[in-house]
Amino acid sequence: MHKPLHIASFNAENFSLLTDRDYSRAELEALDERDYLAMNPSIYNPNKDRDKIAEIARIILENDFDVVGLCEIGGRETLENFTRAYLDSRYEFHIQEENSRRGIFVGALLKSGAFPSARSSNASADFSRNLLKLELGEEGGDLTVFVVHLKSQHGDDR
């Protein structure tokens, strides 16, 4: 008998969390706002408000999701910082930083220990942002999950 999976998909909306070193949550939240924002030099994708980051973490932890697909993630460093500081490393992350002119990607969080094996890759497709393919389970083959930000840049209804 298989245990039911709890899967979520969430548009984290321009979620960047770039820092100058590894911070704990308490250290991050104790920083002056100006110092916190100054760690991310991007004028286009600044660090996300810490209250919003804390709320995203609360929802994930409270619901104990096995898989969380995330849209609009500001890269590997963001997910690394988020999982360490806000999710107490209870999740591993997957992201393929390809096919984005703006540095905004899709990523996934997998509850640590929920799957005996997990592989991720960028799946080729005609999307304006990348399509993340997760192969989960024994040898990464029991379940395939795709994470994509469906936002067409082609216009019309395509």
Side-chain angles (χ1 to χ4, degrees):
M1 182 149 124
H2 293 282
K3 170 186 158 244
L5 291 175
H6 293 98
I7 299 175
S9 179
F10 182 68
N11 185 337
E13 192 179 13
N14 298 319
F15 186 177
S16 287
L17 178 57
L18 304 182
T19 60
D20 56 7
R21 66 173 176 84
D22 290 350
Y23 287 86
S24 69
R25 181 174 178 167
E27 290 171 325
L28 266 175
E29 291 179 351
L31 288 171
D32 174 78
E33 182 72 5
R34 191 181 71 213
D35 293 337
Y36 168 69
L37 292 175
M39 287 189 280
N40 182 345
S42 174
I43 60 171
Y44 300 106
N45 302 314
N47 278 349
K48 192 162 191 73
D49 181 277
R50 289 169 287 182
D51 289 338
K52 291 179 181 179
I53 293 172
E55 185 63 10
I56 293 168
R58 183 193 66 76
I59 290 167
I60 291 169
L61 293 172
E62 225 173 66
N63 288 280
D64 196 32
F65 295 115
D66 298 301
V67 179
V68 181
L70 294 168
C71 297
E72 295 195 28
I73 299 299
R76 177 172 305 284
E77 184 181 341
T78 291
L79 287 181
E80 212 172 313
N81 290 330
F82 179 59
T83 56
R84 184 192 62 259
Y86 284 87
L87 299 177
D88 302 319
S89 299
R90 290 168 35 187
Y91 284 81
E92 61 183 70
F93 66 88
H94 291 263
I95 189 168
Q96 300 294 319
E97 293 178 329
E98 301 173 33
N99 193 28
S100 174
R101 293 176 305 280
R102 292 180 47 214
I104 301 287
F105 305 97
V106 296
L109 301 174
L110 303 177
K111 188 188 323 175
S112 296
F115 302 96
S117 176
R119 290 189 307 238
S120 65
S121 60
N122 189 52
S124 296
D126 189 20
F127 292 110
S128 61
R129 299 198 178 111
N130 61 326
L131 174 63
L132 181 67
K133 179 181 181 181
L134 297 166
E135 296 172 284
L136 309 172
E138 291 296 329
E139 299 301 314
D142 291 333
L143 176 65
T144 302
V145 174
F146 292 93
V147 181
V148 65
H149 184 182
L150 293 175
K151 183 176 182 178
S152 174
Q153 298 298 314
H154 299 290
D156 301 324
D157 288 330
R158 292 184 277 163

